[in-house]
């Protein structure tokens, strides 16, 4: 079995994959957190590399059933997640500022607010998005956490390749990444993994969330990213052939398994005839 320990690929017995991990995590936690600006710069470099190296990740994505064209498109879309501009915007909007900064919300109020890493962040990811395990850990490294990733069946090669490349770009990030391609049936190993974490982010069905809750110790926080209902909304001004083709692609590319795949499509009109015409065009 291949897994990643401190950013490096390791081959060993599955039963022994966590040997020494607790000790190394304890040492790395004492060293503090990575510089967020440097981390964002490294993620930006990774995003550009994913697109510039045409063959990078293609074998791993095509092995998951994507065509070459679909795999290239998936790679292109990663730029939107990993670009420095988008990452700085994400930190500012979602967290309000940089880590350890204490800000007063208003001069009229006494409350001050800031944020800190949780420490060790576990990731239990679903199989409906090839890039999800790594993108989940991007949120973890942005917030200065050590990331322990349990990948879904078949998706581990993509996650491992991306983690390896990021750690090659910036070796200082190596201590913040662990990847374990464990099955949900490996309950003993998963229980041990969750015991190392302060928080576990779970992507998947209600059953997946329930399974993690049953195995995780009572003091571990669970962040649920479960089933979501998504929809598309069209106005007359926004109705173009390209937009309809894009919607059809979003519906079909993952057989509507992705959280962002729309289950409902709305068209804004007072005319039943126009509504039926829209439906026919979309069909």
């Amino acid at each position: 079995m291949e897994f990643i320990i401190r950013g490096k690929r390791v081959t060993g017995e599955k039963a022994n994959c966590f040997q020494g991990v607790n000790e190394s995590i304890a040492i790395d936690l004492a060293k503090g957190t990575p510089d967020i600006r440097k981390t964002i710069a490294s993620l930006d470099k990774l995003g550009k590399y994913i697109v510039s190296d045409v063959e990078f990740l293609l074998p791993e994505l095509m092995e998951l059933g994507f065509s070459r064209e679909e795999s290239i498109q998936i790679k292109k879309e990663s730029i939107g997640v990993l670009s420095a501009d988008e990452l700085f915007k994400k930190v500012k909007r979602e967290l309000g500022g940089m880590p350890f900064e204490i800000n007063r919300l208003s001069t009229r109020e006494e409350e001050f607010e800031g944020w800190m890493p949780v420490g060790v962040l576990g990731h239990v990811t679903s199989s409906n998005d090839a890039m999800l395990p790594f993108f989940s850990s991007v949120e973890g490294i942005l917030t200065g956490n050590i990331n322990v990733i349990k990948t879904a069946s078949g998706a581990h090669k993509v996650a491992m390749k991306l983690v390896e490349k990021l750690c090659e770009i910036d070796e200082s990030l190596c201590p913040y990444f662990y990847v374990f391609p464990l099955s949900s049936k490996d309950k003993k190993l998963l229980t041990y993994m969750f015991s190392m974490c302060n928080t576990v982010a779970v992507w998947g069905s209600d059953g997946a969330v329930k399974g993690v809750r049953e195995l995780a110790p009572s003091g571990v926080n669970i962040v649920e990213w479960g089933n979501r209902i998504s929809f598309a909304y069209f106005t007359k001004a926004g109705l173009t052939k390209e937009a309809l083709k894009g919607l059809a692609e979003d519906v079909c590319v993952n057989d509507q398994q992705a959280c962002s795949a729309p289950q409902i499509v709305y068209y804004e009109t007072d005319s039943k005839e126009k509504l039926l015409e829209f439906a026919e065009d979309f069909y």
Side-chain angles (χ1 to χ4, degrees), residues 234-245:
F234 278 86
T235 63
K236 182 180 179 181
L239 180 57
T240 64
K241 185 176 181 180
E242 290 73 22
L244 281 178
K245 286 177 69 176

Side-chain angles (χ1 to χ4, degrees), residues 18 21-22 25 120 148 180 191-198:
F18 290 113
V21 170
N22 248 335
I25 284 178
V120 182
V148 183
F180 301 101
T191 299
Y192 189 85
M193 171 183 156
F194 299 150
S195 71
M196 298 189 300
C197 300
N198 301 100

Side-chain angles (χ1 to χ4, degrees), residues 36-135:
I36 190 168
R37 290 175 177 82
K38 185 181 177 186
T39 298
I40 288 176
S42 300
L43 289 166
D44 185 76
K45 287 180 184 177
L46 174 64
K48 290 173 180 173
Y49 179 82
I50 291 171
V51 176
S52 64
D53 187 329
V54 178
E55 297 302 317
F56 180 73
L57 275 188
L58 282 188
E60 290 79 11
L61 289 169
M62 292 172 70
E63 190 176 319
L64 291 173
F66 297 104
S67 68
R68 182 178 178 86
E69 292 72 24
E70 289 169 342
S71 300
I72 290 171
Q73 185 60 32
I74 289 170
K75 278 155 53 80
K76 286 180 179 177
E77 289 171 356
S78 66
I79 282 284
V81 178
L82 298 173
S83 75
D85 287 345
E86 291 300 318
L87 291 172
F88 274 116
K89 190 187 300 180
K90 182 179 182 67
V91 171
K92 186 68 176 174
R93 283 181 175 175
E94 297 183 16
L95 302 173
M98 297 301 174
F100 305 104
E101 289 182 353
I102 305 298
N103 299 305
R104 191 170 187 172
L105 301 180
S106 168
T107 55
R108 298 180 180 180
E109 299 176 12
E110 294 300 321
E111 289 84 0
F112 290 78
E113 199 172 87
W115 63 274
M116 295 173 61
V118 297
V120 182
L121 179 60
H123 304 266
V124 177
T125 57
S126 58
S127 58
N128 62 2
D129 189 324
M131 305 291 275
L132 175 61
F134 180 71
F135 285 164

